[in-house]
């Protein structure tokens, strides 16, 4: 399945949807066209693939919100715009399938907010991470104050926003912003490798991981444990789980690989 977009590429390769931000002359800054196309692509990916990879064409993942367009918005238009980003990024974070973000170059402002919505982030050594909203006179509006603050803590996020400093990929991994630093030039390949593997998991387990795990973080200790027990029982009784458990017990399943590092 291919879809024709002007600021995105969209492709399904086996079970993996590949969504490429494609506005390289503007460093993949997210304008109205791009966010609307991303909304369509996210829904299409959820309906037709088991897992998705999001990446950027050109030298950068994404330079964030298109500041030229934003400068023309009224406050009311701004709030509606932000709520649209929230809807689309929520469909990535809590939608039907998992997402892997392959990062390189600028992962800045709204670009970092987008990456934070994916379950897994793989970044090349060229990646740099920043939240220059303070310098631009604005605030995050793509869910960053919720997602990025939870990944790295609110105090570390405040530091990025107040100082506008950039973080390297190595530092971003150390601070929990990303899970993997790839070999140079290999973020896409490594993200695709992870996605292909994730696509072989039981779909109901992937669904529980994308849908239940972030919601459980919003619950109290007691309610979280209760929700977990229900989700565990629900996944365990699916025919897929019954067969996968039997395959393990009958020694037909792959054993766990040794750690790579
Ligand atoms: C843009 C944008 C943009 C580039 N909106 N047009 N984001 C930022 O504050 C980051 C702003 N961008 C940069 O700091 C740099 O562009 C980069 C470090 C990412 C790349 O630098 P460089 O030297 O490769 O490119 P450039 O020459 O700065 O930019 C190339 C073109 O892209 C240029 O346009 P041109 O017509 O003069 O060629 C730039 O104007 C354009 N461009 N970034 C619009 N962001 C939901 S709330 C989220 C709030 C935020 O995201 S705040 C952070 C915004």
């Amino acid at each position: 399945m291919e879809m024709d977009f002007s600021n995105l590429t969209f492709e399904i390769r086996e079970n993996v949807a590949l969504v490429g931000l494609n506005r390289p002359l503007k460093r993949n800054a997210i304008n109205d066209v791009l966010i609307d196309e991303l909304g369509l692509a996210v829904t299409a990916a959820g309906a037709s693939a088991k897992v998705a990879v999001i990446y950027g064409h050109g030298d950068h993942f994404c330079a964030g919100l298109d500041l030229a367009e934003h400068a023309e918005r009224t406050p009311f238009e701004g709030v509606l715009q932000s709520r649209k980003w929230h809807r689309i990024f929520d469909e990535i974070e809590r939608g039907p399938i998992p997402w892997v973000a392959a990062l390189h170059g600028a992962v800045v402002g709204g670009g970092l907010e987008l990456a934070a919505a994916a379950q897994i982030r793989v970044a090349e050594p060229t990646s740099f991470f920043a939240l220059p909203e303070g310098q631009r006179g604005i605030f995050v509006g793509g869910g960053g104050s919720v997602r990025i603050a939870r990944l790295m803590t609110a105090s570390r996020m405040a530091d990025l926003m107040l100082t506008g400093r950039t973080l390297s990929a190595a530092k971003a991994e150390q601070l929990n912003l990303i899970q993997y630093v790839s070999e140079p030039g290999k973020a896409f390949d490594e993200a695709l490798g992870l996605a292909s593997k994730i696509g072989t998991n039981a779909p109901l387990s992937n669904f529980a991981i994308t849908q239940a795990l972030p919601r459980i973080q919003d619950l109290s200790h007691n309610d979280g444990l209760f929700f977990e027990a229900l989700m565990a029982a629900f996944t365990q009784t699916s025919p897929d789980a019954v067969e996968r458990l039997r395959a393990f017990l009958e020694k037909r399943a792959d054993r766990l690989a040794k750690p790579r590092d």
Side-chain angles (χ1 to χ4, degrees):
M1 174 191 187
E2 297 228 358
M3 291 174 85
D4 252 351
F5 292 121
S6 57
N7 287 354
L8 275 188
T9 57
F10 182 90
E11 188 192 330
I12 306 260
R13 205 180 288 174
E14 318 236 314
N15 287 329
V16 187
L18 303 175
V19 178
L21 307 176
N22 195 20
R23 207 182 165 222
L25 292 180
K26 299 288 185 185
R27 308 314 186 241
N28 296 330
I30 303 176
N31 62 357
D32 284 340
V33 173
L34 202 162
I35 195 71
D36 287 341
E37 292 185 346
L38 183 60
L40 294 172
V42 169
T43 303
S48 47
K50 286 193 168 163
V51 51
V53 173
I54 186 158
Y55 64 102
H57 294 281
D59 292 336
H60 301 276
F61 174 69
C62 176
L65 177 67
D66 187 303
L67 296 171
E69 269 188 7
H70 198 61
E72 305 300 322
R73 283 195 185 100
T74 64
F76 189 43
E77 287 167 347
V79 85
L80 294 178
Q81 179 71 4
S82 170
R83 297 299 289 150
K84 181 192 284 188
W85 285 45
H86 289 164
R87 274 198 310 281
I88 295 166
F89 291 6
D90 250 4
E91 199 175 330
I92 294 175
E93 192 201 6
R94 298 177 176 203
I97 59 169
W99 285 72
V100 183
L103 308 175
H104 72 299
V107 186
V108 168
L112 180 51
E113 295 184 283
L114 170 57
Q119 284 75 29
I120 298 180
R121 284 158 293 285
V122 183
E124 288 179 14
T126 58
S127 307
F128 55 97
F129 300 81
L131 293 170
E133 280 79 358
Q135 290 69 54
R136 307 281 178 250
I138 56 177
F139 191 64
V140 284
S145 60
V146 175
R147 291 195 189 90
I148 297 171
R150 284 182 182 180
L151 289 175
M152 69 185 316
T153 77
S155 84
R156 290 204 182 275
M157 182 178 176
D159 169 42
L160 289 192
M161 292 184 77
L162 290 170
T163 65
R165 76 180 170 116
T166 55
L167 298 179
S168 66
K171 191 75 181 169
E173 185 191 21
Q174 198 189 325
L175 299 184
N176 280 335
L177 259 190
I178 61 172
Q179 294 99 322
Y180 298 86
V181 180
S182 78
E183 294 299 316
K186 292 288 181 205
F188 178 83
D189 292 348
E190 292 187 21
L192 182 57
L194 293 173
S196 302
K197 190 157 191 308
I198 290 167
T200 66
N201 290 344
L204 189 56
S205 294
N206 280 350
F207 178 86
I209 293 160
T210 57
Q211 300 267 339
L213 190 56
R215 285 186 172 82
I216 290 171
Q217 308 318 301
D218 292 339
L219 299 177
S220 66
H221 177 95
N222 276 344
D223 290 340
L225 294 181
F226 186 69
F227 191 148
E228 178 190 275
L230 294 180
M231 204 68 231
F234 179 53
T235 54
Q236 173 208 332
T237 48
S238 72
D240 203 4
V242 170
E243 161 51 24
R244 283 166 186 259
L245 295 174
R246 190 179 300 134
F248 175 80
L249 296 172
E250 292 171 359
K251 304 201 183 301
R252 289 185 282 115
D254 289 342
R255 264 26 195 182
L256 291 175
K258 294 276 181 296
R260 284 195 307 173
D261 48 10

